[in-house]
Amino acid sequence: KTGLPVNLSANTNYAIVWSSSNPSAATVDWRGNVTGVSPGSVVITASYPALGLVATQTVDIVTLTGTLVHRYSFSESGGTSVADSVGGPAWTGTLPSGGTLNNGQLTLSSSSSQYAKLPSGIVNGLSNVTVMTWVNLSSSSYWSRIFDFGTGTGTYMFLTPQCGGPGTLRFAIQVNSGGEQQINCTNTLSTGSWHQVVVTLNGAAGVMYLDGVPVGTNSSMTLNPSSMGVTTNNYLGKSQYPDPYLNGLMDEFRIYSGVLSPAEIAATAAMGGTQLLSSNSPAMVVAMAGTNITLSWPLASAGYTLQSRPNLILGSWMNVTSPALQIGGGQWQIAVPMSGNVNGMFYRLVK
């Protein structure tokens, strides 16, 4: 129809009415702004009573992956403090017995009892969590610590590069001397080379990663950092017990609130400790090679799923599950055969 313009938000006779089928999952205001509340599926409805029009859209509310809350990059040149570039000055750590800060690395000497002490409560309130670091051991001793957060020998969570007996990596957490819950693996941490080590706790699932690959799991975890309360002894390279100090270098130490996906952890391992994951929507590059189309996008844009459909009008988007997504040349890559796609194919990335 033609005529004078109508302000739909001001004129109740022509107002658009918004509603949510599941307000516990998502709400919608009078402007149509949708706010996620908790994971779930919800149908958002826009109705236009004056003309009897109704439109709906299904929205899936998902839990976001880990949010970086603490990052120690050891970028200082000398001194006895280490800054948290994400958490801010309140979370600045100290080097009580010294240590060498140079070229974005912290060198700790076990013979000099060197370690970093982080502020009290650094993991307070965190339930689902990702702890990530890069280390290069000069030598390895049983029960030395990569990190150990706690309030003494009854309440702690630690990561050791060499547990007693098998001499392999171990993560352990205990509260009020109630018994350890552990994530074990069969992998050792070699000396003289850099390794990324990651621990994730997600509900009952605990996973340990070495250089981007999962190497140990425990599906019966009931403890997490929030179980420990406000921890006062938060160490890098030092134990709650009189164990040996760490002897080697640390390049980066991060704590995420929430759990990074396996793809995100693989990407951080490939990128190294100087780069972070990106929250920007990635640009996809398409290249033809023989009978394949190679699709690629930045490595920092991890956790995306490639989908395809033969047209943009009919049918549903389908996940591309074969061939497997690979990392190559600093990119996520997948080579899709062109055979059978005579009428074309459309691709998109979703997360």
Side-chain angles (χ1 to χ4, degrees):
K1 295 182 179 181
T2 60
L4 296 175
V6 177
N7 186 335
L8 297 180
S9 62
N11 190 326
T12 56
N13 293 325
Y14 295 93
I16 297 176
V17 179
W18 297 88
S19 64
S20 167
S21 66
N22 185 6
S24 64
T27 60
V28 58
D29 65 17
W30 64 275
R31 292 185 179 91
N33 297 316
V34 178
T35 301
V37 177
S38 62
S41 184
V42 60
V43 176
I44 302 299
T45 301
S47 60
Y48 190 31
L51 296 179
L53 300 176
V54 176
T56 62
Q57 177 65 54
T58 300
V59 178
D60 292 321
I61 309 300
V62 299
T63 301
L64 294 177
T65 57
T67 300
L68 185 60
V69 292
H70 298 291
R71 184 189 186 192
Y72 297 89
S73 298
F74 313 116
S75 56
E76 296 81 4
S77 296
T80 57
S81 63
V82 289
D84 180 351
S85 61
V86 173
W91 299 104
T92 297
T94 60
L95 304 176
S97 302
T100 303
L101 290 163
N102 189 39
N103 294 325
Q105 298 169 1
L106 169 63
T107 302
L108 299 174
S109 170
S110 59
S111 61
S112 299
S113 302
Q114 293 177 339
Y115 65 100
K117 187 177 190 300
L118 307 184
S120 297
I122 194 165
V123 291
N124 185 39
L126 298 179
S127 52
N128 296 335
V129 66
T130 301
V131 182
M132 175 184 297
T133 189
W134 280 258
V135 294
N136 185 341
L137 300 180
S138 300
S139 63
S140 186
S141 300
Y142 284 115
W143 299 118
S144 63
R145 299 289 200 267
I146 295 174
F147 68 82
D148 194 334
F149 297 164
T151 54
T153 57
T155 296
Y156 53 75
M157 72 173 199
F158 71 75
L159 178 64
T160 177
Q162 189 175 2
C163 67
T168 52
L169 281 162
R170 172 182 290 174
F171 170 82
I173 183 170
Q174 175 176 253
V175 174
N176 296 328
S177 302
E180 284 189 357
Q181 296 180 7
Q182 302 174 352
I183 305 174
N184 290 295
C185 69
T186 59
N187 299 75
T188 58
L189 203 61
S190 61
T191 59
S193 58
W194 284 102
H195 296 282
Q196 184 208 51
V197 188
V198 180
V199 174
T200 65
L201 299 175
N202 185 20
V207 183
M208 183 190 300
Y209 294 80
L210 178 60
D211 297 327
V213 179
V215 293
T217 61
N218 183 340
S219 58
S220 301
M221 303 291 291
T222 61
L223 300 176
N224 57 59
S226 67
S227 308
M228 301 190 297
V230 179
T231 56
T232 54
N233 303 332
N234 302 311
Y235 305 134
L236 304 181
K238 182 180 185 296
S239 171
Q240 308 286 330
Y241 291 86
D243 293 315
Y245 288 75
L246 189 76
N247 195 45
L249 298 86
M250 302 188 76
D251 188 33
E252 180 93 351
F253 186 83
R254 302 175 187 170
I255 300 174
Y256 294 80
S257 175
V259 177
L260 296 185
S261 69
E264 289 172 321
I265 292 173
T268 59
M271 292 188 298
T274 60
Q275 299 184 61
L276 294 175
L277 296 169
S278 174
S279 59
N280 298 328
S281 297
M284 189 161 48
V285 176
V286 181
M288 296 181 63
T291 59
N292 291 332
I293 297 176
T294 299
L295 307 171
S296 60
W297 58 93
L299 189 56
S301 299
Y304 282 85
T305 298
L306 181 68
Q307 293 184 330
S308 68
R309 62 189 288 182
N311 62 73
L312 296 177
I313 300 175
L314 301 175
S316 301
W317 289 96
M318 303 296 293
N319 292 345
V320 178
T321 58
S322 180
L325 186 62
Q326 296 181 337
I327 294 176
Q331 301 277 315
W332 291 104
Q333 293 182 346
I334 184 169
V336 182
M338 289 189 293
S339 58
N341 297 339
V342 178
N343 296 322
M345 186 67 70
F346 294 87
Y347 295 91
R348 72 175 185 181
L349 294 171
V350 296
K351 189 175 186 180

